[in-house]
Amino acid sequence: MGKKGKKEKKGRGAEKTAAKMEKKVSKRSRKEEEDLEALIAHFQTLDAKKTQIVETPCSPPSPRLNASLSAHPEKDELILFGGEYFNGQKTFLYNELYVYNIRKDTWTKVDIPSPPPRRCAHQAVMVPQGGGQLWVFGGEFASPNGEQFYHYKDLWVLHLATKTWEQVKDYIYYNDVYAFNLDTFMWSKLSPAGTGPTPRSGCQMSVTPQGGIVLYGGYSKQRVKKDVDKGTRHSDMFLLKPEDGRKDKWVWTRINPSGVKPTPRSGFSVATAPNHQPLFFGGVCDEEEEENLEGEFFNDLYFYDATRNRWFAGQLKGPKSEKKKRRRGRKEEPEGVSKTQGPVEVVKEVVAEDGTVVTIKQVLAAPGSVGQPQSEDEDSSEEADGPVPGPCPRSNAMLAVKHGVLYVYGGMFEAGDRQVTLSDLHCLDLHRMEAWKTLVEMDPETQEWLEETDSEEDSEEEVEGAEGGCEDEDSAEESSAED
C-alpha cells in the first residue's frame, strides 16, 4: 500500500508540474504578444507625428522581400509597399510607400499620414474605383530577433487620387472563403460545394478570363512522429467558379492541367499576362533531411491557359539582333545534331567581404515561344551567343504587369546559412518574349550580413531593428521617444 500510494502521489506531482509548465508557457506567450503590440503601438505613435503628404525623389528602395508591388490602374506607375529585411542578426519591417515611374525610370518615396503599421507577407490588390485604390489585408510583424511574431487581420485602403490611407474596421476574418464588396465595405461568406484544397500556406490565386479563381500549390507540415514534422510541397490545382452561372453559389473543382507543369515549389510569385493568363515566376524547392534544409531556387516562367486547361513554359526568343531568318520550309539538319535545345544553366560565384561564397545559379530557358508551337513560316531563333541577362533565381519576389510588360522586383535566395535579400528590378515584354531587361542592378556582394550572436539586444536596439527606417530624422525622433 505504501509503495502504491507513493506512485500515485508521484503521478499527481508530475501532472502538477506539467500543468505549471503549461501555464508558464501560456503566460510567456501572452507576454510576448503584449510586447509586440506595445512595439507596434510605439511605431504608430511615431507615424502619427507625420501630418503632411511628402513626396521625395529617391534612389531605388533598399533590399526587401514579402512586400507588395502593384500596377497603378490609370498611370504608368508601380506601387511598392511594406516588406522585410534580415541582415543575419536583426529583422527589419517596413511600411514605406514607393512609386516607380515606368516611363521616366524614377523612384519617389511617398510619406502619407497615418499609414498601416509595419508589416510583411500581406495581401494587396489594386482596383480602379475612385481613381485607383490599393487594398491591403493582413500580414505579419516580427521582433528584431525574429523569434516573436504578430499576425494582423486588419484591412486598409490607399486612395491613390487623394493619397490618403483609410482603415476599414467593418470586417470579419476566418480561415474560410470570403468575398468583400467594394461598394458596401462588407464581407460575405461563401460556402462552395465540392472538395476544396487542404489547409496550406504559400499558395497562389489568380482570376481566370471566365470569372473563376485558380488556386495552385502551397506548403504544409504534418506530424510524422513525436517532435518530428514533415513538410509537403503541394502541386495540386483547384478551380473555384460560380455554379451554373450564379453569383451567389460557388463550387470547388480539382483540375489536372496538361502541358509542361511547374516542378513542385513554394514561394513562387503570380501575376496576370495581357491575355488574362496567370503567370508564375520563380520559387524554391526545399529538401529536408533530418535537421538540414537546403533549397533550390528558380527563375523560370510558366503560363496557365484556363481555356485549354494547359500549362506552358515561358521561353525567350532572344533579341532580334541575334536572330537569323529562315526561308519557308524546314531546313534539313546535319546528322548528329539535336533539333531540341535544352535549358542552359549559368553558375556565378560571388565572394563576400566575410569570405562567404555566394553561388548564383541561373537557368536560362531554351529559345522558343511562350507556349504556342512555332510555325514553319515564322522566323526561328538561334541560340544566343551568351547568357541572357535577367533576374537570378529567387523566391518571394514581387510581380506586376503594366502595358504587357512584366516587372520583377526583389525577393531572396540562400547561400548556405546566409540569406541574400534582393532589390533589383527587371522587366520582360510579354508580347515579344525576346529578353529580360535590367532596370535596377544589385550586387549581392554589397549586402550587409552579420553573424548570429547569443548576446541579448538592449531595448533601444530592439526598437531600431524592428523599425527598419533609414532616415536620420526618423532615427532622431525615435531616439528622443525612447529617452
Side-chain angles (χ1 to χ4, degrees):
M1 288 296 292
K3 291 183 178 180
K4 183 178 179 181
K6 185 179 292 185
K7 289 182 179 180
E8 292 177 352
K9 187 175 181 180
K10 185 177 181 181
R12 289 194 296 270
E15 291 177 0
K16 289 183 179 179
T17 302
K20 289 181 179 179
M21 182 61 68
E22 184 178 353
K23 185 177 180 180
K24 186 177 181 181
V25 171
S26 178
K27 185 177 180 180
R28 184 192 307 159
S29 299
R30 289 197 301 271
K31 179 66 167 58
E32 290 176 351
E33 184 172 349
E34 290 172 358
D35 291 343
L36 288 181
E37 289 178 346
L39 192 56
I40 294 171
H42 167 74
F43 293 138
Q44 286 184 288
T45 301
L46 296 177
D47 290 333
K49 296 179 180 179
K50 301 176 181 179
T51 58
Q52 295 182 343
I53 301 173
V54 180
E55 301 183 41
T56 309
C58 62
S59 57
S62 59
R64 64 193 63 197
L65 69 153
N66 289 329
S68 59
L69 185 67
S70 309
H72 196 295
E74 297 179 354
K75 301 180 181 180
D76 295 333
E77 295 177 347
L78 305 180
I79 313 297
L80 177 70
F81 173 73
E84 64 175 309
Y85 170 72
F86 179 61
N87 69 355
Q89 289 185 355
K90 292 182 181 179
T91 299
F92 296 78
L93 275 298
Y94 306 98
N95 65 344
E96 301 166 329
L97 187 74
Y98 290 93
V99 177
Y100 175 69
N101 189 303
I102 296 175
R103 295 185 181 275
K104 297 181 180 179
D105 188 25
T106 57
W107 289 91
T108 302
K109 186 175 185 291
V110 184
D111 289 312
I112 300 177
S114 304
R118 291 155 176 80
R119 68 190 60 204
C120 65
H122 51 278
Q123 297 297 316
V125 62
M126 188 76 74
V127 297
Q129 281 86 346
Q133 297 174 346
L134 176 67
W135 289 83
V136 175
F137 176 75
E140 182 179 85
F141 181 86
S143 62
N145 59 15
E147 295 182 357
Q148 302 175 33
F149 302 92
Y150 181 88
H151 297 93
Y152 297 103
K153 53 181 180 180
D154 50 355
L155 182 65
W156 294 77
V157 57
L158 172 63
H159 300 280
L160 297 174
T162 58
K163 294 185 174 62
T164 55
W165 281 106
E166 176 188 358
Q167 184 177 6
V168 182
K169 297 182 178 180
D170 182 15
Y171 70 94
I172 302 175
Y173 173 74
Y174 294 102
N175 190 22
D176 288 317
V177 183
Y178 275 80
F180 183 77
N181 189 307
L182 297 175
D183 296 322
T184 63
F185 284 14
M186 295 293 293
W187 288 100
S188 61
K189 184 178 181 180
L190 305 182
S191 301
T195 303
T198 58
R200 64 192 63 189
S201 67
C203 59
Q204 294 287 7
M205 302 174 70
S206 182
V207 179
T208 68
Q210 297 77 21
I213 298 175
V214 168
L215 184 147
Y216 173 75
Y219 180 83
S220 64
K221 282 188 175 183
Q222 59 183 134
R223 182 64 54 86
V224 293
K225 57 182 179 180
K226 186 178 181 181
D227 299 329
V228 178
D229 293 330
K230 182 180 180 181
T232 300
R233 296 184 303 272
H234 298 282
S235 57
D236 48 0
M237 199 165 184
F238 294 83
L239 174 65
L240 179 64
K241 64 178 182 179
E243 189 174 6
D244 300 327
R246 297 172 54 182
K247 295 183 179 180
D248 60 339
K249 197 172 183 180
W250 295 73
V251 60
W252 279 112
T253 304
R254 179 165 182 170
I255 55 179
N256 186 24
S258 59
V260 183
K261 303 178 183 179
T263 56
R265 66 189 67 186
S266 60
F268 52 90
S269 305
V270 66
T272 303
N275 54 5
H276 304 291
Q277 291 182 352
L279 65 87
F280 297 79
F281 171 80
V284 60
C285 177
D286 290 324
E287 296 293 340
E288 300 180 64
E289 295 182 3
E290 296 296 332
E291 297 182 356
N292 294 327
L293 179 65
E294 294 185 1
E296 178 184 1
F297 290 81
F298 304 97
N299 64 343
D300 45 2
L301 268 176
Y302 289 89
F303 296 81
Y304 172 68
D305 188 334
T307 304
R308 292 186 284 176
N309 191 27
R310 185 179 181 86
W311 283 105
F312 295 101
Q315 298 177 334
L316 304 185
K317 300 175 183 178
K320 285 186 176 180
S321 59
E322 297 179 358
K323 291 182 180 179
K324 295 182 180 179
K325 293 187 176 180
R326 184 178 67 183
R327 295 183 179 179
R328 296 171 66 92
R330 187 176 298 278
K331 184 177 179 181
E332 184 177 353
E333 299 287 346
E335 293 185 3
V337 177
S338 174
K339 298 181 181 180
T340 304
Q341 297 176 343
V344 180
E345 184 178 277
V346 178
V347 180
K348 177 183 177 182
E349 290 188 350
V350 178
V351 181
E353 295 180 356
D354 59 0
T356 303
V357 179
V358 180
T359 302
I360 303 177
K361 184 186 296 184
Q362 186 169 6
V363 180
L364 304 178
S369 63
V370 174
Q372 302 291 344
Q374 193 175 44
S375 68
E376 296 183 3
D377 295 340
E378 296 178 350
D379 296 339
S380 66
S381 308
E382 300 294 337
E383 189 170 0
D385 296 334
V388 179
C392 67
R394 65 192 66 196
S395 69
N396 303 93
M398 284 65 74
L399 303 188
V401 176
K402 186 72 175 182
H403 297 320
V405 178
L406 170 66
Y407 293 86
V408 175
Y409 173 80
M412 61 85 72
F413 68 90
E414 296 173 345
D417 294 333
R418 180 174 180 175
Q419 175 178 304
V420 180
T421 307
L422 301 164
S423 61
D424 48 354
L425 178 65
H426 307 265
C427 67
L428 174 67
D429 191 323
L430 296 175
H431 294 297
R432 298 181 179 181
M433 289 297 292
E434 292 178 353
W436 286 98
K437 179 180 178 181
T438 301
L439 301 175
V440 178
E441 295 184 350
M442 176 192 175
D443 184 358
E445 187 177 354
T446 62
Q447 181 188 321
E448 177 190 42
W449 182 258
L450 306 177
E451 296 299 328
E452 292 186 3
T453 176
D454 295 332
S455 61
E456 292 292 332
E457 305 288 351
D458 58 37
S459 59
E460 291 185 1
E461 289 179 334
E462 289 281 315
V463 172
E464 180 185 356
E467 190 274 332
C470 299
E471 292 79 4
D472 295 336
E473 182 180 352
D474 290 345
S475 300
E477 289 179 357
E478 290 165 16
S479 297
S480 60
E482 285 298 308
D483 294 340

